[in-house]
Amino acid sequence: MTVPKPSLELVRNVTDEHILRALMRHRRMTRAELAVETGLSKPTAGESVRRLVAAGLVADSGERTAGGRGRGRVGSYYTLAGGDRTAWAISIAPGGVVAEAVDVYGETAGRAEEDAGRTASSDQVATALRAVAERLAAASGPAELAVVSAADPVDRATGRLVHLPDAPFLVGDLDPAEVLAPYVAGEVTVDNDVNWAARAELAARPGSDTFAYLYLGEGLGCAIVSDGRVLRGRHGLAGEIAHLTTAGPGGGATPLIEVFGLLGLRRPGSTAIDVDRLLAAATGTGPRAAGVRAALGEAVRGALTAITSLADPDHIIVGGPWGQDPAILTALRDAAARHPRGPVLCPATVPAPSFAGVRADALTRLRDGVIAAPR
Amino acid sequence: MTVPKPSLELVRNVTDEHILRALMRHRRMTRAELAVETGLSKPTAGESVRRLVAAGLVADSGERTAGGRGRGRVGSYYTLAGGDRTAWAISIAPGGVVAEAVDVYGETAGRAEEDAGRTASSDQVATALRAVAERLAAASGPAELAVVSAADPVDRATGRLVHLPDAPFLVGDLDPAEVLAPYVAGEVTVDNDVNWAARAELAARPGSDTFAYLYLGEGLGCAIVSDGRVLRGRHGLAGEIAHLTTAGPGGGATPLIEVFGLLGLRRPGSTAIDVDRLLAAATGTGPRAAGVRAALGEAVRGALTAITSLADPDHIIVGGPWGQDPAILTALRDAAARHPRGPVLCPATVPAPSFAGVRADALTRLRDGVIAAPR
DNA sequence: GATTCTAATCAGGACCCTTGCCTGGAAAGG
DNA sequence: CCTTTCCAGGCAAGGGTCCTGATTAGAATC
């Protein structure tokens, strides 16, 4: 039964939710201001505040109105009781860890970063994550919950980073939830960085809710957003395109990731793409660079075709260090134009997109947690 | 603002919805039975019935309880006032048109079929559709709404069948909504038959909400279901896999649909696959048939890889006249096993799946229309 | 000190749901 | 034939929630 039982509790909860969300937007408000903000009557708003104070979700801040405002009776400012609780937004990449603590008002309550060097082992990354959590906990207390972006495929059920055979594995073997457990009271949500980037672009472009996000960097990734939802798949591995069949340099059917091996653009002793070498080889005006760009275009075209065929996006956002390079992007556009339903490619717009995505989700979850609190 | 304004009207609407849905499940009920069924109190249920009768949504059927039931006071049986209104579920395929009228109770109020011959033109199909609508309207009155399955790609915005370049186009140029307009009062919903088949499989397998459906017949189609939702894409063309890059008979990168041309398995003068010839060529024990099966397996493997990479389904359901052939399915399984994240293939289980899908959707929409009626 | 202005509260009324009790009417049993 | 049993339906009271409109409380201004 999807429809709730009719009851007055239902409508009361709706009222309380309006009050709580208004306090999230404005930090401190009097009963009268709350009534105006929510559109409720003054007595109703006042009664809801009384309930919420009794439940411990809202507190009289002690501050009084007056002082320059009007000359009327002093009003009491109310605030959320758990206003100092925070959610953590964390980005884990091979280069290091970035974390921010956000409060229910959406403000940053703390920030910590830890460099891990370009070729860090998974142990080093775990250590960096632990150090960041330690500092953040010291600065702004433990977290209610954490939302994590990782530069590797993430198992949806466990939140662990997983290694797909022969695909780039950048951060390495890691269970963020386990590392963060001492510092986080509630749930730790983990997802792939490309999915978070796609969610950030989704939030940044209202009215555009069906697109794909193609990430071209050390690793290859793709996120599909359809009707405002990110496709995750059974194991959370949707968009792991390394093994997609495409056209290799010789025209033969080749898995996408192997094309970079054939072109000599994978980092030696690693599964990752060597971005620096790729940029050096593919940019410039010579015929050799043009040849590399054409080969990359052909290879990526297979991925674009698959995305277009299966997901029918309105456009494909291309992000990542070499995908956004102007010369390469042009080569990709040329290749895409040779397909009947060639997609529109556009560069990513949100800076630090995956971090923006986790941060927004952390805030949403923190706020929803307050609304869902028993009362 | 996603949360509704708190009001008592909200809770009253919830009550009325419970009463209406109970009457959809049980056809006729007394006030007392409704109270038990909905979990509401007798006065509340009775009051809701009074409101709904006044609004014309519910009617006293005239029937009285008594007669064998208990020995108590006679009760009045109430029924939905619009119980004779119907929604149409229609399947349009090159072979012909099948349509059913369903009422709010989920029962079939009428059925009509019209054969159109194997190689019907789009005009002939339109004529068949009109004839079916005519007969259905004569038998059970005009429809509140219609839900249509078509064996071609469907433009999401307009509901028209669209012709993608060089892809099979089976039914032909047709706007079902226009043909049905004289017979249908409300909305005409059109979608691809493979999407409907996937929705039917989704309903048939509770607990399994992330899979793909691959249709292998005269046309090629694919539906992706993730977290219980069918991926439709910007134009409704998600899953149109004809141009997917795959491995051709010679090992070169080839669009999927062209493989059938290279193998000589497309119907002459048409863009469709010749299923009979394909089955004749690919089944049997000789080495030639095994070779064809291997080529088909390699070609389809590209599609399976793309689906697995992009959508990460739990399993891939294979349907369609030649996809379900045991020998071919075995060849597909062999090919899939050569992929690192090789998907589990299983044959379709729902008979007449796309019709089951439209029928269920028509019923849902008809019922939702009753609930949403002004009162 | 009177006036003005605003926050908070009070009073009254309209709904909506629930529990509990009562009424009407028909079958079953003596 | 009369009484008992049983059940649909209705009535009344009580608890909640919301709203409008009026009133009180307290501080700044004149």
Side-chain angles (χ1 to χ4, degrees):
Chain A
M1 184 161 319
T2 168
V3 179
K5 267 292 277 290
S7 81
L8 294 180
E9 188 184 343
L10 188 159
V11 71
R12 193 181 61 220
N13 285 344
V14 170
T15 300
D16 289 354
E17 175 164 354
H18 275 96
I19 296 292
L20 289 169
R21 294 218 184 265
L23 284 173
M24 290 173 189
R25 285 194 297 272
H26 291 93
R27 195 149 215 140
R28 53 166 220 183
M29 302 183 86
T30 67
R31 289 161 148 94
E33 288 168 344
L34 282 166
V36 173
E37 173 79 13
T38 58
L40 301 171
S41 69
K42 278 188 291 177
T44 302
E47 181 63 15
S48 178
V49 168
R50 196 198 53 70
R51 273 197 303 266
L52 293 169
V53 168
L57 291 182
V58 165
D60 185 334
S61 69
E63 298 173 286
R64 295 295 176 264
T65 173
R69 171 81 156 304
R71 37 186 163 173
R73 169 178 176 177
V74 287
S76 306
Y77 280 117
Y78 290 88
T79 58
L80 293 173
D84 54 343
R85 289 187 297 195
T86 58
W88 290 357
I90 303 179
S91 163
I92 304 178
V97 177
V98 183
E100 232 179 75
V102 293
D103 62 23
V104 280
Y105 307 107
E107 313 231 322
T108 302
R111 186 179 168 88
E113 291 185 44
E114 187 82 17
D115 242 52
R118 189 138 184 121
T119 55
S121 72
S122 62
D123 271 358
Q124 288 173 296
V125 174
T127 305
L129 176 58
R130 202 170 286 115
V132 157
E134 194 71 54
R135 288 215 298 280
L136 221 45
S140 58
E144 290 297 304
L145 58 93
V147 181
V148 179
S149 161
D152 276 325
V154 173
D155 183 285
R156 185 174 182 175
T158 65
R160 286 187 67 93
L161 277 53
V162 296
H163 193 173
L164 301 181
D166 203 32
F169 194 48
L170 306 173
V171 172
D173 203 24
L174 184 66
D175 183 354
E178 191 192 327
V179 175
L180 292 172
Y183 312 97
V184 178
E187 216 167 336
V188 176
T189 307
V190 189
D191 200 356
N192 183 275
D193 58 349
V194 182
N195 285 348
W196 290 119
R199 292 189 185 100
E201 291 281 350
L202 175 65
R205 308 186 186 203
S208 163
D209 66 352
T210 299
F211 60 88
Y213 191 107
L214 182 65
Y215 180 89
L216 304 174
E218 297 187 317
L220 302 168
C222 168
I224 290 168
V225 181
S226 183
D227 298 309
R229 298 163 56 97
V230 173
L231 200 74
R232 290 211 63 190
R234 171 70 174 85
H235 306 97
L237 304 180
E240 295 300 334
I241 53 177
H243 287 281
L244 218 50
T245 303
T246 187
T254 314
L256 179 57
I257 188 66
E258 284 184 17
V259 172
F260 299 89
L262 295 174
L263 291 173
L265 297 176
R266 288 181 87 162
R267 207 167 317 136
S270 157
T271 50
I273 294 170
D274 190 329
V275 174
D276 292 336
R277 198 178 329 160
L278 185 151
L279 284 172
T283 53
T285 52
R288 287 204 46 142
V292 173
R293 284 202 297 273
L296 290 176
E298 268 312 292
V300 172
R301 187 166 75 90
L304 296 176
T305 302
I307 295 168
T308 305
S309 298
L310 285 174
D312 181 28
D314 184 53
H315 53 276
I316 299 181
I317 299 172
V318 182
W322 60 273
Q324 288 182 283
D325 177 272
I328 295 178
L329 185 57
T330 301
L332 299 184
R333 285 209 175 99
D334 289 348
R338 287 198 295 279
H339 181 266
R341 271 157 65 208
V344 175
L345 303 187
C346 42
T349 58
V350 179
S354 45
F355 193 77
V358 279
R359 195 185 188 285
D361 193 58
L363 179 57
T364 302
R365 286 176 187 267
L366 182 61
R367 287 178 168 175
D368 289 353
V370 172
I371 302 296
R375 45 182 185 266
Chain B
M1 183 159 320
T2 168
V3 179
K5 268 290 281 288
S7 82
L8 295 179
E9 187 184 343
L10 188 158
V11 72
R12 194 181 61 220
N13 284 345
V14 169
T15 299
D16 289 353
E17 174 164 355
H18 275 96
I19 296 292
L20 289 170
R21 293 219 184 265
L23 284 173
M24 290 172 189
R25 284 194 297 272
H26 291 93
R27 194 148 215 141
R28 52 167 220 183
M29 302 183 86
T30 67
R31 289 162 147 94
E33 287 168 346
L34 282 167
V36 173
E37 173 79 13
T38 59
L40 301 172
S41 67
K42 278 190 295 175
T44 301
E47 182 63 15
S48 177
V49 168
R50 196 198 54 70
R51 271 198 304 268
L52 293 169
V53 168
L57 291 182
V58 165
D60 185 334
S61 69
E63 299 174 287
R64 296 294 177 262
T65 173
R69 169 82 156 309
R71 36 187 163 169
R73 169 180 177 176
V74 286
S76 305
Y77 279 117
Y78 290 87
T79 57
L80 293 174
D84 53 344
R85 288 188 298 195
T86 57
W88 289 357
I90 304 179
S91 163
I92 305 177
V97 177
V98 184
E100 231 179 76
V102 293
D103 61 22
V104 279
Y105 307 109
E107 311 233 321
T108 302
R111 187 180 169 87
E113 291 185 43
E114 186 83 18
D115 242 53
R118 192 146 182 114
T119 54
S121 72
S122 61
D123 272 357
Q124 288 174 298
V125 173
T127 305
L129 176 58
R130 202 170 287 114
V132 157
E134 194 71 54
R135 288 215 298 281
L136 220 44
S140 57
E144 290 297 304
L145 57 94
V147 182
V148 178
S149 161
D152 275 325
V154 173
D155 183 285
R156 186 173 182 176
T158 64
R160 285 187 68 93
L161 277 54
V162 296
H163 193 173
L164 301 180
D166 203 33
F169 193 49
L170 306 172
V171 172
D173 203 23
L174 184 66
D175 183 355
E178 191 192 326
V179 175
L180 292 172
Y183 312 97
V184 179
E187 214 165 340
V188 176
T189 307
V190 189
D191 200 357
N192 183 274
D193 57 348
V194 182
N195 285 348
W196 291 120
R199 293 190 185 99
E201 291 281 351
L202 174 66
R205 309 185 186 203
S208 163
D209 66 352
T210 299
F211 60 87
Y213 191 108
L214 182 65
Y215 180 90
L216 303 174
E218 295 188 319
L220 302 168
C222 168
I224 291 167
V225 181
S226 182
D227 298 309
R229 297 162 58 97
V230 173
L231 200 74
R232 290 211 63 192
R234 172 70 175 84
H235 306 98
L237 304 179
E240 295 301 333
I241 53 176
H243 286 281
L244 219 50
T245 302
T246 187
T254 314
L256 178 57
I257 188 67
E258 284 184 18
V259 173
F260 300 88
L262 295 173
L263 292 172
L265 297 176
R266 288 180 87 161
R267 207 166 318 137
S270 156
T271 49
I273 294 169
D274 189 328
V275 174
D276 293 336
R277 198 176 333 157
L278 186 150
L279 284 171
T283 54
T285 51
R288 287 206 44 144
V292 173
R293 283 202 299 273
L296 289 176
E298 268 312 291
V300 173
R301 187 166 73 89
L304 296 176
T305 303
I307 295 168
T308 306
S309 298
L310 284 173
D312 181 29
D314 184 53
H315 54 276
I316 299 182
I317 299 172
V318 182
W322 60 271
Q324 289 181 283
D325 178 272
I328 295 179
L329 187 57
T330 301
L332 299 185
R333 285 210 175 98
D334 290 347
R338 286 199 296 280
H339 181 267
R341 271 158 64 208
V344 175
L345 302 188
C346 41
T349 58
V350 179
S354 44
F355 194 77
V358 278
R359 195 185 188 286
D361 193 56
L363 180 57
T364 302
R365 286 174 187 268
L366 182 61
R367 288 179 167 173
D368 289 352
V370 171
I371 301 297
R375 43 182 187 267

